[in-house]
């Protein structure tokens, strides 16, 4: 059984209160981690503030040289990391492997490009007067992350925050504390100075306590509901916040699309990570001429998916992360059925895999806008498919949501693609592709899906304050607009 401690100021410390982390494939206890409270948070933020004084004075290249070692270390430890991810949150090993690889790529990207992204702009004003901008670290950044990408999401904030000269207090999800602890160990082992990265495990109250602490910024990824709470709780402190929240992405298939490609993309996009992905296509809209073929192909492929323990290399769909998430999903499906939706396949607990939190991937047709599957985020293996007649209707249906994270459009017509990409109300649009992630491309949503950007140069600039410096080298003793104002009035 794993025993989790808190990483505070470079030391691993235990605490009185603990909570359990379960393996969702078996329901067994994987270990017990510390439940940090106000006292631990205060101590940790203090340690991070102290460490920031010297960390921010190091050159950005020096910081990047340290951070790049994380990328190598992740690959060295990939075997143990992918096993831990799969055991703690249930996803198939091949997906955990991709997560480790992508995390390493993304860390290396920030380490290589950070210096360029942190160079300010020169702004000439006139021959004697010029300005420039300087990107300065915000201070201590509280990083609060969810369980669905427990390695990638923390590092895509930790890496840019550290390179920019901030120190970090990281709070992993209460469902994946041990992957979070591993992040602390990796950073320590590659030689990050004491206090520069701190890890506090705990639940929502631990997160709330971090938000109310003497922190300078909160970088949050999680549900829209928690994002709104964080925004409210940040108001008094007025610290900076960056919010990456939930989504209900549309997947729109026009009749000229490569139908087979669209079906493969939709099934993978909707069901990978057991449907627990922010940018998963949660609402699928198909043009009426091809709807029957699309649905038939989608249902056939869904039935072929192999459900099982993620540690089995043949598994396509692991368990959901927790009983609570599965119960929430069941209620959403029940609501849809009550209001007239048809379940084409799946939609129930697995008959034989009873110990874990399994749910058979479901395909719903005949869905209508009043159903919760069309209005709320559906965070599990349920695909809701409906039909549209023309582009205007597709846009209206896709935009009919409080969320605005991403969208995926399938067509061979570039004009259609361009028109859709400008009219969809969201932060990211994929054309003939789904759920791709490149560190060079900005990431983030609008509406209730959040504010601020991750990745690319925008991602690192979330973690800096822009300072404007103006220098005047002229010899003028005064300016036309300085006192006395009456100097230009005749007779004075
Ligand atoms: P969650 O909001 O329940 O929890 C996220 C984190 O916030 C956890 O660490 C939790 O302990 C903490 N927390 C809970 N209450 C808090 C509070 N009041 N103050 C501070 N911290 C608090 O989300 P989850 O279930 O862990 O993750 C799933 C959600 O994350 C989905 O909505 C998904 O769409 C979203 N998500 C978004 C993105 C994105 O890039 N936009 C990426 C991944 C996941």
């Amino acid at each position: 059984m794993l025993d989790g401690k808190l990483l505070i100021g470079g030391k691993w410390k235990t605490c009185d209160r603990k909570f359990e982390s379960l393996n969702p494939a078996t329901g067994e206890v994987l270990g017990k981690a510390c439940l940090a409270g106000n006292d631990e948070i205060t101590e940790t933020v203090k340690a991070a503030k102290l460490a920031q004084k010297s960390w921010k004075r190091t050159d950005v290249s020096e910081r990047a040289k340290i951070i790049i070692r994380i990328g190598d270390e992740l690959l060295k430890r990939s075997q143990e990391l992918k096993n831990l991810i799969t055991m703690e949150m249930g996803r198939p090993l091949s997906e955990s492997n991709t997560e480790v690889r992508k995390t390493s790529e993304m860390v290396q990207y920030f380490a290589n490009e950070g210096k360029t992204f942190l160079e300010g702009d020169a702004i000439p004003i006139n021959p004697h007067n010029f300005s420039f901008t300087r990107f300065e670290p915000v201070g201590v950044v509280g990083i609060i992350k969810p369980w669905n990408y427990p390695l990638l999401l923390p590092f895509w904030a930790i890496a840019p925050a550290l390179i920019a000269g901030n120190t970090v207090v990281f709070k992993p999800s209460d469902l994946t504390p041990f992957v979070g602890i591993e992040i602390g160990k990796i950073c320590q082992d590659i030689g990050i100075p004491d206090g520069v990265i701190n890890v506090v495990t705990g639940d929502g109250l631990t997160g709330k306590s971090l938000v109310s602490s003497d922190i300078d910024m909160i970088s949050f990824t999680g549900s829209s509901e928690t994002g709104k709470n964080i925004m409210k709780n940040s108001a008094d402190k007025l610290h900076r916040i960056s919010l990456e929240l939930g989504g209900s992405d549309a997947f729109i298939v026009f009749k000229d699309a490569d139908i087979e490609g669209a079906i493969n993309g939709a099934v993978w996009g909707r069901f990978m990570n057991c449907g627990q992905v922010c940018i998963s296509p949660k609402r699928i809209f198909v043009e009426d001429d091809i709807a029957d073929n699309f649905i038939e192909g989608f249902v056939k492929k869904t039935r072929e998916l192999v459900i099982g323990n993620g540690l089995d290399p043949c598994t396509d769909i692991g368990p959901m992360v927790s009983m609570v998430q599965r119960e929430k999903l069941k209620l959403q499906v029940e609501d849809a059925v009550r209001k007239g939706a048809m379940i084409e396949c799946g939609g129930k607990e697995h008959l034989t895999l009873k110990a874990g939190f399994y749910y058979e991937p479901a395909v719903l047709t005949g869905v209508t806008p009043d159903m919760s599957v069309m209005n709320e985020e559906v965070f599990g293996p349920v695909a809701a498919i409906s039909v549209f007649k023309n582009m205007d209707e597709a846009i209206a249906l896709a935009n009919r949501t409080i969320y605005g994270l991403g969208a995926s459009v399938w067509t061979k017509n570039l004009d259609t693609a361009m028109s859709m990409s400008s009219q969809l109300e969201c932060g990211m649009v994929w054309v003939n592709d789904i759920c791709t992630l490149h560190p060079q491309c900005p990431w983030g949503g609008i509406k209730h899906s959040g504010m601020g950007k991750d990745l690319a140069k925008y991602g690192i600039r979330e973690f800096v304050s822009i300072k404007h410096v103006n220098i005047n080298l002229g010899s003028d003793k005064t300016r036309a607009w300085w006192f006395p104002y009456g100097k230009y009035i005749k007779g004075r």
Side-chain angles (χ1 to χ4, degrees):
M1 168 123 44
L2 299 169
D3 177 33
K5 298 198 169 96
L6 306 170
L7 178 58
I8 305 177
K11 299 202 166 45
W12 290 96
K13 299 189 176 180
T14 193
C15 66
D16 302 337
R17 297 180 307 152
K18 297 254 173 168
F19 67 98
E20 290 178 342
S21 173
L22 303 184
N23 178 342
T26 59
E28 286 162 3
V29 179
L30 201 64
K32 289 185 182 181
C34 281
L35 185 66
N38 282 333
D39 291 348
E40 286 89 0
I41 293 291
T42 306
E43 184 187 349
T44 312
V45 173
K46 212 167 141 194
K49 283 218 178 263
L50 186 67
Q52 210 250 336
K53 285 185 184 158
S54 43
W55 181 247
K56 73 174 177 191
R57 280 199 298 271
T58 56
D59 187 71
V60 59
S61 314
E62 279 305 305
R63 297 196 291 264
K65 259 191 222 161
I66 299 177
I67 303 304
I68 207 158
R69 298 207 289 264
I70 296 177
D72 300 334
E73 193 64 22
L74 285 164
L75 295 181
K76 261 192 235 156
R77 299 190 188 189
S78 70
Q79 189 64 32
E80 58 186 271
L81 282 170
K82 71 183 184 190
N83 282 340
L84 179 61
I85 293 171
T86 292
M87 284 196 294
E88 200 164 37
M89 58 75 65
R91 80 145 57 93
L93 271 181
S94 69
E95 292 180 13
S96 299
N97 190 44
T98 308
E99 178 169 3
V100 177
R101 211 174 29 75
K102 272 279 167 197
T103 309
S104 166
E105 184 194 335
M106 194 259 316
V107 169
Q108 310 239 3
Y109 167 80
F110 276 119
N112 289 326
E113 304 296 332
K115 190 172 165 57
T116 313
F117 294 160
L118 293 172
E119 271 162 17
D121 302 312
I123 311 167
I125 309 286
N126 66 41
H128 310 296
N129 192 320
F130 65 96
S131 283
F132 63 90
T133 53
R134 214 195 263 285
F135 294 132
E136 298 192 337
V138 175
V140 178
V141 181
I143 294 181
I144 303 176
K145 295 288 158 178
W147 46 266
N148 68 332
Y149 286 88
L151 188 75
L152 180 77
L153 292 171
F155 268 122
W156 86 14
I158 292 170
L162 294 186
I163 290 169
N166 304 283
T167 53
V168 161
V169 178
F170 164 49
K171 194 207 90 63
S173 165
D174 26 328
L175 295 172
T176 50
F178 287 101
V179 180
I181 288 168
E182 212 50 37
I183 287 174
K185 287 184 187 162
I186 289 171
C187 292
Q188 218 183 18
D189 290 352
I190 58 99
I192 287 186
D194 290 352
V196 168
I197 170 114
N198 305 273
V199 181
V200 283
T201 48
D203 58 7
L205 286 177
T206 310
K208 193 173 175 195
S209 170
L210 183 58
V211 172
S212 313
S213 73
D214 195 14
I215 211 95
D216 300 296
M217 173 176 176
I218 291 289
S219 165
F220 174 75
T221 305
S223 64
S224 302
E225 196 190 342
T226 307
K228 287 175 205 170
N229 282 331
I230 287 180
M231 199 163 182
K232 279 184 211 145
N233 294 333
S234 298
D236 277 346
K237 301 267 176 175
L238 268 186
H239 50 221
R240 183 181 301 194
I241 49 174
S242 147
L243 303 174
E244 292 292 357
L245 309 178
S248 183
D249 290 12
F251 186 101
I252 303 155
V253 192
F254 286 94
K255 62 183 175 202
D256 69 341
D258 170 351
I259 307 294
E260 191 187 341
I263 291 170
N264 288 339
V267 171
W268 178 74
R270 186 59 199 108
F271 296 131
M272 61 123 169
N273 205 10
C274 202
Q276 305 166 123
V277 181
C278 54
I279 51 156
S280 170
K282 290 163 191 145
R283 297 170 303 138
I284 300 173
F285 302 107
V286 190
E287 195 160 2
D288 50 7
D289 299 31
I290 53 155
D292 289 346
N293 281 349
F294 182 92
I295 291 168
E296 191 187 330
F298 191 101
V299 172
K300 182 169 178 288
K301 272 221 146 302
T302 304
R303 287 187 200 277
E304 287 164 6
L305 296 171
V306 178
I307 305 168
N309 189 321
L311 290 176
D312 180 339
C314 292
T315 293
D316 295 315
I317 310 273
M320 293 186 68
V321 74
S322 70
M323 181 98 79
V324 173
Q325 292 287 335
R326 188 173 64 178
E327 290 308 307
K328 198 173 161 196
L329 186 74
K330 279 193 208 161
L331 289 178
Q332 290 172 320
V333 171
E334 277 165 30
D335 169 82
V337 171
R338 204 171 37 249
K339 291 173 181 162
M342 269 87 65
I343 301 184
E344 304 289 343
C345 63
K348 52 186 184 308
E349 286 180 23
H350 199 274
L351 288 179
T352 48
L353 297 164
K354 288 204 179 299
F357 313 130
Y358 293 93
Y359 188 83
E360 289 186 5
V363 181
L364 298 180
T365 55
V367 290
T368 49
D370 59 323
M371 297 174 182
S372 50
V373 288
M374 299 301 272
N375 293 302
E376 297 169 2
E377 181 176 41
V378 180
F379 220 57
V382 172
I385 307 181
S386 47
V387 177
F388 67 88
K389 289 193 184 61
N390 53 43
M391 192 195 287
D392 286 346
E393 194 187 4
I395 292 162
L397 287 167
N399 289 342
R400 199 191 164 284
T401 169
I402 56 168
Y403 297 104
L405 194 53
S408 174
V409 178
W410 292 72
T411 174
K412 290 191 185 125
N413 184 329
L414 202 54
D415 289 338
T416 307
M418 295 306 279
S419 175
M420 291 296 289
S421 71
S422 77
Q423 294 183 75
L424 287 166
E425 294 168 359
C426 57
M428 300 170 278
V429 177
W430 289 269
V431 177
N432 301 327
D433 218 329
I434 182 72
C435 299
T436 58
L437 168 81
H438 305 288
Q440 309 88 318
C441 304
W443 180 280
I446 58 171
K447 295 161 76 177
H448 288 228
S449 292
M451 55 181 69
K453 287 285 173 208
D454 280 317
L455 304 183
K457 66 179 175 195
Y458 312 98
I460 200 161
R461 289 186 184 167
E462 289 287 322
F463 297 102
V464 293
S465 299
I466 303 175
K467 183 179 274 178
H468 164 219
V469 181
N470 177 262
I471 298 185
N472 192 333
L473 294 175
S475 54
D476 291 351
K477 304 287 180 255
T478 186
R479 308 281 182 273
W481 55 91
W482 289 4
F483 298 135
Y485 292 150
K487 60 184 175 278
Y488 299 115
I489 297 171
K490 253 188 175 168
R492 293 216 36 195

